[in-house]
């Protein structure tokens, strides 16, 4: 970067007009709230397991899809039939096809789906590329296109997965080089000043978000679109996928739905449920290695979201997404273990860096009634999205984190909170941005530093309709805090966006407790029953506890990792 370029973000931070802003000093977790919680008047008392079952049944009673066999046809997704015929034609002519993926878990899984499919049908004239976050930036860019064309001058067809709606320059280059271009994506399309969709030059766009697509579900992940596309190609080639192969590809879609925090509507919930149930039957060497490496015994949405997805994401965040893709595609456990060790090390480095950047962001951030904005000079680009998510959770509003970039002036990520449509909110400020893209819950953006102040002052959240969910579904009898209740909860997996993990309220007595630096472990009781409980995220001195006190709290029910036949209560709040 030119030496005469503007000073760093930290040097600039004092130029913000902070008089209208106030930084919050609240902690990560509320240790004490209303001692007479009014919500108890609004939630039921759960005395029998059937009381809970009725509530959980109510969550899914409107689902039109209850089994994987009932999902919509691939033909309902606009352009799949026509694009599939083009791919089939190029396969028959043995032309070079390149898959252009993305460096996050969804993009990695989408790439694996396409490459697995081509391997299954025996087509070898196919290659792949994944952008390097630090070298190419996001998406299928002009820089990446030119690099791949130099290495593979015979490319005849490019298929993007989990990206492409921002590939305007690359699309023009494809057309100029007579290379056919198919975009498969799930991100919101760009719009002009009149709200008209802007589509990059391409032969076909496959994206449920385009206005003229009649696919019944818009909020899907990139891997699902890629998987639907493979079904279309198979149909055009008159090839029937065997059950094990279909299961293997659908499993990757399930990982992506959780990792990309897609709403668990009828389609997404059904596919994730299928993926969870099929986890222990998968034949991928990488999964056997993963199970042993993390001592995985139970498959659920928590494991997908907090173990597997972060491992896959760590490659693109810290190094190169190709490492994660090679892990998924490993031919045997020896190869899988090689990449697993790399991913595990990268993920550990990610955790350390993430914590450092988060602490710095909390100290330097600016808060308005509408957003949190944190700007750093040399924060690691691979962790700023996670930090934005933590800030959004902590301060209960949309959060953006920016850092100086080697490629684009200032590069950042934003994360939504509750029912804020983040991509719609950011689109209104497109005139201040060099680049942006994303979906309802998360966005990526790049802008000049002199536009940051205007962005902060002008940001107005756009809201979407959201079915209100009571965070606490009921006051639960201590007799129901057991493995039978946990098994019932497991039947309604997966939990996540739009289907939150059931949270309960209870009043139990303290038998003992141990305070650590960032968590408290309780032994609670009522009558003859004892319960292990944990409270994490302690960043301030908790209130005083005494043996024999009544603890009033909300919690989620989980399997004890040290004893598979026992439950542990994860405390959210004390009252």
């Amino acid at each position: 970067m030119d030496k005469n370029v503007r000073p760093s973000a930290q040097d600039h931070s004092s130029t913000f007009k902070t008089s209208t802003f106030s930084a919050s000093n609240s902690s990560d977790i509320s240790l004490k709230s209303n001692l007479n919680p009014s919500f108890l008047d609004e939630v039921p008392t759960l005395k029998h397991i059937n009381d809970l079952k009725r509530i959980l049944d109510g969550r899914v009673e409107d689902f039109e899809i209850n089994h994987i066999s009932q999902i919509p046809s691939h033909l309902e997704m606009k352009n799949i039939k026509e694009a599939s015929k083009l791919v089939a034609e190029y396969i028959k002519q043995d032309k070079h096809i390149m898959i252009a993926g993305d460096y996050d878990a969804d993009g990695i899984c989408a790439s694996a789906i396409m490459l697995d499919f081509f391997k299954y049908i025996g087509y070898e004239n196919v290659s792949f590329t994944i952008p390097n976050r630090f070298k190419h930036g996001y998406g299928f860019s002009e820089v990446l296109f030119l690099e791949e064309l130099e290495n593979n001058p015979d490319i005849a067809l490019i298929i993007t997965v989990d990206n492409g709606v921002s590939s305007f320059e690359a699309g023009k280059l494809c057309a100029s080089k007579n290379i056919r271009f198919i975009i498969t994506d799930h991100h919101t399309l760009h719009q002009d000043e009149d709200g008209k969709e802007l589509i990059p030059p391409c032969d076909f766009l496959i994206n449920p978000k385009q206005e003229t697509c009649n696919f019944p579900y818009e909020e899907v992940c990139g891997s699902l679109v890629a998987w639907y596309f493979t079904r279309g190609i198979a149909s055009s080639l008159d090839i029937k996928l065997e059950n094990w192969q279909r299961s293997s590809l659908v499993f990757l879609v399930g990982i992506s739905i959780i990792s990309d925090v897609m709403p668990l509507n009828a389609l997404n919930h059904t596919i994730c449920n299928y993926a969870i149930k099929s986890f222990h039957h998968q034949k991928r060497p990488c999964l056997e290695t993963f199970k042993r490496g993390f001592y995985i015994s139970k498959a659920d949405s928590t494991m997908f979201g907090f173990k597997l997805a972060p491992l896959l994401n760590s490659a693109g965040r810290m190094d190169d997404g190709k490492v994660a893709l090679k892990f998924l595609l490993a031919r045997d456990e020896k190869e899988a273990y090689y990449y697993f060790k790399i991913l595990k090390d990268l993920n550990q480095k990610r955790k350390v860096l993430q914590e450092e950047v988060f602490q710095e962001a909390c100290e330097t951030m600016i808060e308005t009634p509408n957003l949190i904005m944190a700007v750093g000079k040399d924060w690691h680009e691979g962790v700023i999205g996670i930090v934005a998510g933590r800030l959004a959770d902590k301060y209960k509003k949309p959060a953006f984190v920016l850092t100086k970039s080697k490629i684009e002036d200032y590069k950042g990520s934003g994360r939504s909170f509750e029912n804020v449509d983040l991509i719609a909110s950011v689109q209104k400020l497109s005139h201040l941005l060099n680049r942006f893209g994303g979906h309802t819950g998360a966005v990526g953006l790049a802008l000049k530093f002199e536009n940051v102040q205007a962005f902060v002052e002008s940001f107005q959240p756009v809201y979407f309709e959201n079915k209100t969910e009571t965070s606490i579904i009921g006051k639960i009898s201590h007799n129901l805090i057991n493995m039978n209740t946990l098994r019932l909860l497991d039947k309604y997996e997966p939990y996540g966006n739009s289907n939150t993990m059931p949270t309960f309220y209870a009043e139990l007595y303290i038998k003992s407790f141990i305070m650590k630096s960032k968590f408290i472990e309780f032994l609670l009781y009522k009558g003859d029953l004892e319960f292990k409980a944990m409270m994490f995220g302690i960043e301030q001195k908790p209130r005083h506890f005494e043996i024999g006190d009544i603890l009033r709290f909300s919690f989620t029910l989980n399997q004890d990792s040290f004893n598979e036949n026992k439950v542990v209560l994860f405390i959210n709040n004390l009252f």
Side-chain angles (χ1 to χ4, degrees):
M1 184 173 284
D2 192 293
K3 293 181 180 179
N4 296 320
V5 170
R6 64 190 66 84
S8 71
Q10 289 179 349
D11 294 330
H12 273 301
S13 61
S14 60
T15 66
F16 279 118
K17 299 174 184 177
T18 57
S19 59
T20 58
F21 306 144
S22 61
S24 171
N25 294 317
S26 63
S27 62
D28 264 352
I29 192 163
S30 172
L31 292 182
K32 188 174 182 178
S33 55
N34 190 348
L35 290 177
N36 297 300
S38 59
F39 63 79
L40 291 180
D41 297 330
E42 303 173 6
V43 299
T45 298
L46 309 176
K47 295 181 179 181
H48 192 277
I49 198 167
N50 286 337
D51 297 334
L52 175 59
K53 187 177 185 301
R54 280 191 290 270
I55 293 174
L56 297 175
D57 283 342
R59 289 187 173 193
V60 298
E61 63 184 359
D62 294 331
F63 282 5
E64 308 92 341
I65 302 170
N66 296 306
H67 190 270
I68 194 76
S69 62
Q70 299 173 319
I71 66 172
S73 166
H74 63 277
L75 296 174
E76 294 187 50
M77 200 170 286
K78 181 179 173 64
N79 289 331
I80 274 193
K81 184 177 181 180
E82 295 78 6
S84 296
K85 288 180 178 179
L86 174 61
V87 176
E89 176 187 334
Y90 273 43
I91 288 173
K92 291 173 183 177
Q93 296 175 19
D94 194 30
K95 292 192 175 182
H96 185 165
I97 299 173
M98 188 180 76
I99 307 301
D102 191 19
Y103 46 62
D104 68 354
D106 187 16
I108 295 297
C109 288
S111 300
I113 286 169
M114 295 298 297
L115 294 170
D116 257 6
F117 170 76
F118 282 116
K119 181 180 179 181
Y120 176 76
I121 66 174
Y123 192 68
E124 297 181 353
N125 197 6
V126 61
S127 62
F128 72 88
T129 186
I130 292 175
N132 184 294
R133 180 193 298 267
F134 312 101
K135 181 181 179 182
H136 307 111
Y138 169 77
F140 185 59
S141 62
E142 178 182 0
V143 174
L144 183 58
F145 171 82
L146 293 174
E147 182 179 298
E148 289 298 330
L149 187 61
E150 182 178 353
N151 295 330
N152 301 282
D154 63 335
I155 294 174
L157 168 65
I158 295 173
I159 302 170
T160 73
V161 291
D162 189 39
N163 73 76
V165 295
S166 298
S167 299
F168 291 93
E169 295 305 317
K172 292 177 184 177
L173 287 170
C174 283
S176 69
K177 302 291 184 181
N178 198 30
I179 296 173
R180 307 299 289 269
F181 189 37
I182 298 173
I183 296 174
T184 78
D185 202 350
H186 71 121
H187 293 99
T188 302
L189 278 71
H190 291 262
Q191 297 179 351
D192 63 17
E193 294 179 354
D194 298 322
K196 183 181 178 182
E197 289 181 344
L198 297 175
I199 299 175
C202 63
D203 291 275
F204 299 104
L205 170 67
I206 304 171
N207 185 338
K209 286 226 174 78
Q210 55 186 319
E211 290 179 354
T212 53
C213 182
N214 295 319
F215 191 74
Y217 299 95
E218 281 190 16
E219 295 296 329
V220 300
C221 64
S223 290
L224 182 69
V225 181
W227 176 63
Y228 263 91
F229 193 24
T230 63
R231 296 180 72 192
I233 299 170
S235 178
S236 292
L237 293 170
D238 199 25
I239 293 174
K240 186 175 182 180
L241 295 176
E242 294 178 14
N243 288 337
W244 71 266
Q245 179 68 12
R246 186 169 61 247
S247 169
S248 179
L249 300 186
V250 174
F251 176 79
L252 294 175
V253 177
I255 298 173
S256 297
I257 290 170
I258 296 295
S259 69
D260 243 30
V261 200
M262 291 292 105
L264 294 171
N265 53 36
L267 177 62
N268 289 334
H269 189 278
T270 298
I271 289 176
C272 274
N273 182 268
Y274 180 88
I276 288 170
K277 289 181 178 178
S278 70
F279 175 72
H280 289 292
H281 305 292
Q282 294 296 322
K283 298 180 180 180
R284 289 182 176 275
C286 63
L287 294 181
E288 290 302 316
T289 302
F290 170 75
K291 290 175 196 176
R292 285 199 297 272
F294 282 107
Y295 307 103
I296 301 297
S297 60
K298 179 183 178 183
D300 56 19
S301 53
T302 300
M303 181 275 286
F304 276 42
F306 291 94
K307 293 286 188 182
L308 186 50
L311 191 73
L312 298 177
N313 274 322
S314 67
R317 291 188 185 283
M318 305 302 296
D319 188 2
D320 193 311
K322 294 185 181 72
V323 177
L325 180 57
K326 290 176 181 178
F327 172 66
L328 287 181
L329 298 176
R331 294 162 294 182
D332 53 49
E333 290 187 35
K334 182 180 179 180
E335 183 181 3
Y337 184 67
Y338 172 79
Y339 291 113
F340 175 77
K341 287 194 299 182
I342 297 174
L343 291 175
K344 200 171 181 181
D345 288 343
L346 290 174
N347 200 33
Q348 186 58 40
K349 291 178 183 178
R350 185 269 305 171
K351 291 178 182 178
V352 174
L353 274 172
Q354 169 189 316
E355 189 61 32
E356 291 175 357
V357 173
F358 176 70
Q359 294 302 330
E360 288 185 32
C362 288
E363 293 170 3
T364 61
M365 65 173 224
I366 290 170
E367 181 176 14
T368 78
N370 294 325
L371 60 67
I372 298 292
M373 174 66 78
V375 183
K377 179 175 69 173
D378 54 3
W379 290 341
H380 196 286
E381 293 180 18
V383 301
I384 55 178
I386 301 174
V387 172
R390 288 184 63 181
L391 290 174
D393 288 341
K394 180 172 182 176
Y395 296 103
K396 313 302 181 188
K397 61 182 68 176
F400 296 85
V401 179
L402 305 175
T403 188
K404 184 189 288 186
S405 171
K406 295 178 181 178
I407 301 174
E408 304 162 289
D409 291 318
Y410 281 85
K411 182 178 182 180
S413 291
R415 294 295 182 268
S416 183
F417 181 72
E418 291 187 338
N419 62 329
V420 174
D421 187 335
L422 204 58
I423 187 66
S425 305
V426 168
Q427 277 179 334
K428 291 191 170 186
L429 302 177
S430 60
H431 59 286
L432 298 173
L433 306 174
N434 297 348
R435 175 187 63 79
F436 70 95
H439 47 77
T440 303
V443 298
L445 66 163
L447 71 167
K448 296 181 183 299
F449 184 82
E450 54 261 33
N451 289 338
V452 174
Q453 182 73 33
F455 183 91
V456 170
E457 294 177 344
S458 304
F459 181 85
Q460 293 290 331
V462 175
Y463 297 92
F464 59 86
E465 290 187 15
N466 189 28
K467 182 180 178 182
T468 302
E469 290 186 10
T470 306
S471 59
I472 296 176
I473 68 173
K475 180 179 179 180
I476 192 168
S477 167
H478 68 287
N479 294 311
L480 289 182
I481 304 176
N482 54 40
M483 285 299 297
N484 286 335
T485 297
L486 184 58
R487 292 187 188 101
L488 175 66
L489 295 175
D490 287 346
K491 292 181 180 180
Y492 293 84
E493 281 274 5
Y495 296 108
N497 183 5
S498 301
N499 184 44
T500 55
M501 175 76 77
T503 301
F504 306 99
Y505 174 85
E507 297 179 358
L508 303 173
Y509 294 93
I510 299 175
K511 186 168 186 177
S512 65
F513 60 92
I514 301 173
M515 291 190 181
K516 303 290 185 178
S517 60
K518 289 191 176 182
F519 74 91
I520 306 174
E521 181 175 335
F522 292 96
L523 183 61
L524 307 174
Y525 73 96
K526 192 166 186 178
D528 296 329
L529 299 178
E530 294 183 352
F531 310 93
K532 179 181 175 181
M534 307 286 290
M535 188 168 188
F536 299 95
I538 307 300
E539 295 189 355
Q540 64 182 22
K541 185 177 180 180
R543 74 182 194 220
H544 185 67
F545 297 111
E546 293 284 354
I547 304 300
D549 280 353
I550 295 178
L551 198 69
R552 299 175 175 88
F553 62 99
S554 61
F555 70 97
T556 58
L557 197 60
N558 298 268
Q559 186 180 60
D560 190 337
S561 58
F562 296 100
N563 188 337
E564 295 180 7
N565 298 314
K566 295 284 187 179
V567 297
V568 58
L569 288 57
F570 286 174
I571 298 174
N572 299 320
N573 287 292
L574 303 180
F575 298 92

